Amino acid sequence: MIVKQRNEPVRMGLTFVPTPLGNLRDITLRALDALREAELIVAEDTRVARRLLSAHGIAGTLIWTYHEHNAATSTAAILERAAIGNVAVVTDAGMPGISDPGSALVTAARAAGISVDVLPGPTAFACAAVLSGFDVRRFAFEGFPPRSSGARKAAFRTAMARGIPSVWYESPHRIVAALADLAAIAPDAPTFLVREFTKLYEQQ
């Protein structure tokens, strides 16, 4: 139970809370505190968020969805709540704002004068970079490659021209095509793949 002291100020603003990449135990104590104290949780998928909350004994918190398809219409309502209370922002896995519209929410909050905190925690691309064994004192996170073969090859060429490792996310439905495009332009490029990271059937 959390008991609020009389002289303790009411916390307001957005708190970006990283969530486990797969194993639900990979969450920080501060992240759990933020989720317990939130008056509203903004989640990419409410079902995924509720599974995480349930696993850690957190119940009864209001959850709204926030994703690429509703970001433009829901941002104002989220900021209204953050202006008067404590709103936690989560994604399905990892750091909110990486490959999802969370960064736009930060920009809008700052423009409105609303406080933003980001808690440290799981971030898939950084873990994958270290796991690769490559020299990653400098590396580039590229996000998802383009869907068309021509644009994908161009993106790979641009990344390789930098002369440092690059980290990409890719859908399991497109990974074979993406690897074929990479092989077509750089057949000898050292490549490391990891799937289902931190999960039961992790493969490297």
Side-chain angles (χ1 to χ4, degrees):
M1 176 183 294
I2 298 174
V3 180
K4 181 179 177 298
Q5 300 297 322
R6 286 186 179 181
N7 60 352
E8 182 182 343
V10 176
R11 175 168 174 73
M12 295 183 291
L14 296 174
T15 302
F16 279 57
V17 182
T19 55
L21 302 173
N23 190 319
L24 295 182
R25 291 174 59 82
D26 291 336
I27 191 166
T28 70
L29 298 178
R30 284 185 66 199
L32 291 175
D33 288 343
L35 294 174
R36 290 190 186 101
E37 295 168 7
E39 299 163 27
L40 169 67
I41 294 175
V42 175
E44 187 176 2
D45 186 324
T46 59
R47 296 165 297 180
V48 175
R50 289 197 187 282
R51 279 198 296 272
L52 175 64
L53 297 176
S54 177
H56 293 285
I58 303 171
T61 308
L62 179 64
I63 304 178
W64 289 358
T65 57
Y66 181 76
H67 45 68
E68 61 179 338
H69 302 297
N70 73 350
T73 57
S74 59
T75 293
I78 293 169
L79 295 185
E80 285 180 10
R81 294 295 297 261
I84 59 173
N86 186 6
V87 177
V89 182
V90 301
T91 189
D92 286 352
M95 178 66 72
I98 303 293
S99 296
D100 65 44
S103 57
L105 189 57
V106 173
T107 299
R110 294 219 182 280
I114 293 171
S115 170
V116 179
D117 276 341
V118 176
L119 303 186
T123 308
F125 73 82
C127 296
V130 174
L131 194 58
S132 73
F134 299 160
D135 182 352
V136 290
R137 287 173 291 181
R138 290 184 62 231
F139 69 93
F141 170 60
E142 302 286 353
F144 284 90
R147 295 194 177 197
S148 72
S149 178
R152 200 160 45 221
K153 288 177 181 176
F156 289 157
R157 286 192 188 96
T158 298
M160 294 186 68
R162 297 191 184 101
I164 58 175
S166 58
V167 183
W168 303 80
Y169 290 162
E170 186 53 290
S171 159
H173 308 294
R174 293 192 296 271
I175 186 64
V176 173
L179 290 173
D181 287 338
L182 177 61
I185 64 168
D188 298 323
T191 306
F192 173 80
L193 277 76
V194 59
R195 68 186 294 267
E196 299 292 306
F197 181 60
T198 76
K199 300 178 183 177
L200 182 61
Y201 298 107
E202 177 180 330
Q203 291 181 303
Q204 302 176 25

